[in-house]
Amino acid sequence: MNPLYEQIKERLKKYHQEQLLNFYDYLNDSDKQKLLFQLLNINFQKINNLYSSLKTISIPSGETIEPLEYFVKSDIPVKRRRELENQGTEMLKKSQYAVLTMAGGQGTRLGHKGPKGTFELNLFPKKASLFEILADKIKQANKRYGIQIPWYIMTSETNNDDTIKFFEDKNYFNYDKNKIFFFIQDKLPIVSADTGKILLSEPYQVHEASNGNGNLFKSLKKNNLITQMKQSGVKWIFVSGIDNILVKIADPIFLALTSSNSEIGAKTIFKKDPYSQDWVFCRKNGKPAMLGYERITDEITNANIDGKYLYRDVNILCHLFSIDAIEKISNLDLPYHRATKKNTYINDEGMKIVPEAPNSYKFETFIFDSFKFFDNITLLRVDEEKEFAPIKDPVGIYSPDTATKLYLKEEFKSIFS
Ligand code: UTP
């Protein structure tokens, strides 16, 4: 008998995850080796702990919740706006700015086969993928400011090869390929929501997936990219998701405001429906944080001064971080959260099951948990219809159709402005 197999079998027994070897005897030698190697690298104790500790939402008592100051972009007086624009433009022209796109997610809700960034929209008359839309935006900024913005793209082990192949096939959208840096984030096994058992994606493969966008800091460090950024003179990094097609990737006002006030910044939109499940920005125990919807009481959501609501700023995943902030966070541990997702798995009979509803937990760290390591964050509330058109679901308010309409409306306006 293979001693490695015996050793792993014992470990699986200890952590009640023996199902992962259910099909071992039917595999060929190469798949057997692959599976054993994958299992060898999994921290089962950690997964079991995460499953049991995150089963219920705990609300810590004795926390102080206060509002955070925010700026409203459309309310900034013209003169101040000009000043900020000039200041931000000068900063951008110095070539100290980088863009980081988080494209390591699974995109389970959209259900597109392949990396989400390869999803194509019909932007009459042309079709463009989400990656191409972003590439065009960065190219426009390069032209406007006479720079070559380095573009960092976080992928996952699952989608990295397909992502790079897509860029190669599209000739990197005519972007300087030496200025594009792909890096793979970390991963963790996915567990059944009902039982906490780790799932198989194939009889020979444990179902693992990226461990949340908060992993970006550690992944940058692990790939030596923080040092590389510093060496190339990068001072500010704009971080956003792959799926907001109205994202403004180089906004001088946001850059000038953030850099004058703090080491980190976030764009927000106003929470119109006070009872939606969106989390809002706040100050928790004196530090910037997000307040989960289960904590948002009527009193909090309606709190206002002269009609200006204090807890209505929703995160849209558009952030600025100074390079020092990124480095600081990369040395700290962010807590895990539980995300409920629809994931295909192999059942006890060896059949592949494609669930119709969310069936599994993915353990993720989130960017917003890094805010508490700073005294301040610059919040810039922007117009939703101008800067936020994410693609999450096949239909509804965050669908390709809705996002395309918003995008074309903005494009149309910009032609005539
Ligand atoms: P979402 O929370 O919308 O998740 O990610 P998702 O994986 O894209 O989609 P669903 O929930 O499975 O349908 C917001 C942004 O964070 C990135 C995503 O690629 C997206 O740009 N992300 C998310 C990562 O880069 N890594 C992760 O582990 C999770």
Side-chain angles (χ1 to χ4, degrees):
M1 230 336 142
N2 179 344
L4 181 59
Y5 170 84
E6 291 301 327
Q7 181 200 331
I8 286 174
K9 200 171 156 194
E10 271 313 296
R11 266 182 74 206
L12 292 182
K13 205 166 151 202
K14 178 169 169 203
Y15 295 108
H16 310 291
Q17 299 285 2
E18 303 97 309
Q19 79 286 352
L20 296 172
L21 287 175
N22 271 359
F23 309 104
Y24 184 83
D25 291 340
Y26 307 103
L27 304 178
N28 63 36
D29 285 348
S30 148
D31 284 346
K32 278 182 177 162
Q33 275 310 105
K34 258 194 260 168
L35 179 61
L36 290 183
F37 185 72
Q38 201 186 3
L39 291 170
L40 192 64
N41 287 294
I42 291 174
N43 183 340
F44 294 101
Q45 179 76 62
K46 178 174 173 171
I47 298 298
N48 285 0
N49 286 349
L50 285 173
Y51 180 73
S52 45
S53 65
L54 295 177
K55 251 197 300 212
T56 48
I57 298 167
S58 63
I59 298 184
S61 57
E63 262 180 1
T64 55
I65 304 293
E66 294 162 295
L68 263 175
E69 191 197 347
Y70 57 84
F71 297 91
V72 180
K73 202 177 189 182
S74 55
D75 289 353
I76 300 174
V78 179
K79 189 162 166 270
R80 176 73 182 130
R81 207 184 162 87
R82 287 271 148 72
E83 281 167 11
L84 290 168
E85 248 160 18
N86 291 341
Q87 190 188 331
T89 299
E90 284 315 307
M91 290 179 75
L92 285 164
K93 283 184 177 167
K94 284 188 182 150
S95 287
Q96 295 174 342
Y97 189 79
V99 166
L100 193 155
T101 303
M102 298 177 298
Q106 285 186 293
T108 53
R109 283 170 288 174
L110 186 62
H112 167 62
K113 207 168 176 301
K116 199 175 192 180
T118 66
F119 184 79
E120 269 196 346
L121 294 176
N122 199 347
L123 302 178
F124 317 98
K126 80 167 196 172
K127 284 194 169 176
S129 64
L130 302 185
F131 280 132
E132 182 173 355
I133 293 170
L134 274 180
D136 284 348
K137 284 175 188 285
I138 307 178
K139 283 193 289 189
Q140 278 166 17
N142 286 344
K143 210 165 143 198
R144 187 172 310 133
Y145 302 111
I147 51 177
Q148 274 294 318
I149 298 176
W151 186 12
Y152 296 84
I153 301 175
M154 182 163 83
T155 62
S156 69
E157 210 157 274
T158 318
N159 71 19
N160 183 64
D161 291 354
D162 289 342
T163 302
I164 293 177
K165 172 138 194 339
F166 188 73
F167 271 74
E168 280 169 357
D169 289 348
K170 303 282 177 187
N171 194 28
Y172 291 80
F173 310 105
N174 297 323
Y175 207 86
D176 178 356
K177 77 182 244 200
N178 297 316
K179 287 277 184 182
I180 302 184
F181 307 95
F182 298 97
F183 64 103
I184 303 177
Q185 71 168 112
D186 293 325
K187 58 184 177 172
L188 277 181
I190 285 173
V191 302
S192 149
D194 292 338
T195 61
K197 299 275 184 200
I198 294 175
L199 300 177
L200 289 169
S201 55
E202 300 289 346
Y204 52 85
Q205 197 171 51
V206 178
H207 202 328
E208 291 186 277
S210 48
N211 60 350
N213 56 34
N215 183 244
L216 99 94
F217 309 98
K218 288 213 184 298
S219 293
L220 278 174
K221 182 177 170 190
K222 201 166 161 181
N223 288 282
N224 215 24
L225 289 172
I226 299 180
T227 310
Q228 182 254 33
M229 282 178 180
K230 283 172 132 182
Q231 282 167 352
S232 57
V234 169
K235 297 242 183 325
W236 286 94
I237 299 101
F238 176 74
V239 174
S240 70
I242 178 62
D243 48 22
N244 175 11
I245 58 171
L246 280 184
V247 65
K248 292 204 186 321
I249 55 94
D251 179 345
I253 294 182
F254 186 36
L255 180 58
L257 259 186
T258 301
S259 59
S260 324
N261 284 301
S262 52
E263 284 190 78
I264 55 172
K267 283 193 173 177
T268 70
I269 52 169
F270 179 65
K271 179 171 171 174
K272 290 189 203 109
D273 172 4
Y275 301 105
S276 80
Q277 296 204 339
D278 291 320
W279 293 33
V280 294
F281 276 93
C282 71
R283 212 174 255 292
K284 242 184 235 173
N285 297 333
K287 301 286 186 179
M290 302 292 308
L291 195 61
Y293 67 91
E294 71 287 343
R295 318 259 324 256
I296 303 175
T297 57
D298 280 1
E299 193 189 347
I300 289 181
T301 206
N302 292 320
N304 71 85
I305 296 177
D306 299 334
K308 292 205 181 304
Y309 288 102
L310 305 179
Y311 300 97
R312 289 285 187 92
D313 280 271
V314 175
N315 194 355
I316 57 167
L317 218 55
C318 286
H319 297 298
L320 274 171
F321 289 91
S322 74
I323 184 74
D324 291 342
I326 293 241
E327 185 163 43
K328 173 173 163 173
I329 305 165
S330 73
N331 293 317
L332 299 163
D333 287 329
L334 303 182
Y336 275 96
H337 298 259
R338 186 185 85 178
T340 312
K341 304 249 175 179
K342 231 189 311 181
N343 274 296
T344 306
Y345 65 101
I346 304 293
N347 73 4
D348 292 346
E349 282 77 49
M351 304 216 348
K352 192 170 261 190
I353 306 293
V354 182
E356 285 182 0
N359 63 324
S360 55
Y361 293 153
K362 182 177 183 254
F363 300 112
E364 300 192 340
T365 55
F366 293 145
I367 288 193
F368 66 67
D369 278 313
S370 68
F371 302 161
K372 63 169 179 274
F373 301 119
F374 299 85
D375 289 332
N376 201 10
I377 183 170
T378 302
L379 298 187
L380 179 61
R381 193 190 283 175
V382 298
D383 287 347
E384 181 169 356
E385 60 280 12
K386 286 191 186 149
E387 302 203 25
F388 191 53
I391 293 167
K392 300 283 180 199
D393 307 297
V395 290
I397 52 163
Y398 296 144
S399 66
D401 270 3
T402 314
T404 303
K405 280 189 196 126
L406 288 166
Y407 179 90
L408 292 175
K409 199 168 142 202
E410 277 307 296
E411 284 286 288
F412 189 72
K413 274 203 272 175
S414 69
I415 294 170
F416 294 100
S417 65

